[in-house]
């Protein structure tokens, strides 16, 4: 299992991945909004999304879990 985490604090503007969907390394899986900037969150490895830990509108801190890949 691989975890995708937030690289900085911000609000979850959009979740781009869905449970059961394949994700490639380097693919954007979510977009955070911080200080009116949109920051993409990318998967470091490839796999299948098994769990999404945030919802659009949630606030996350640096290092918080966004989703889990298998």
């Amino acid at each position: 299992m691989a975890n995708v985490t937030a690289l900085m604090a911000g609000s979850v503007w959009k979740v781009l991945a869905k449970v059961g969907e394949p994700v490639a390394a380097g693919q954007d899986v979510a977009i955070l909004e911080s200080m009116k900037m949109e920051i993409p969150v990318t998967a470091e490895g490839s796999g299948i999304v098994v769990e999404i830990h945030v919802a659009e509108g949630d606030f996350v801190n640096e290092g918080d879990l966004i989703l889990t890949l298998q």
Side-chain angles (χ1 to χ4, degrees):
M1 295 245 198
N3 293 323
V4 178
T5 58
L7 299 176
M8 64 185 314
S11 296
V12 179
W13 183 70
K14 187 96 172 149
V15 177
L16 303 172
K18 294 180 172 60
V19 173
E21 181 177 83
V23 172
Q27 181 178 334
D28 293 346
V29 294
I31 300 174
L32 300 182
E33 181 181 31
S34 180
M35 301 186 315
K36 297 189 180 187
M37 293 175 41
E38 294 175 7
I39 298 97
V41 177
T42 58
E44 292 181 14
S46 57
I48 305 285
V49 178
V50 292
E51 190 171 1
I52 298 173
H53 303 278
V54 297
E56 293 176 4
D58 287 354
F59 184 83
V60 294
N61 289 302
E62 182 178 349
D64 283 357
L65 194 57
I66 303 288
L67 56 84
T68 302
L69 301 175
Q70 182 175 26

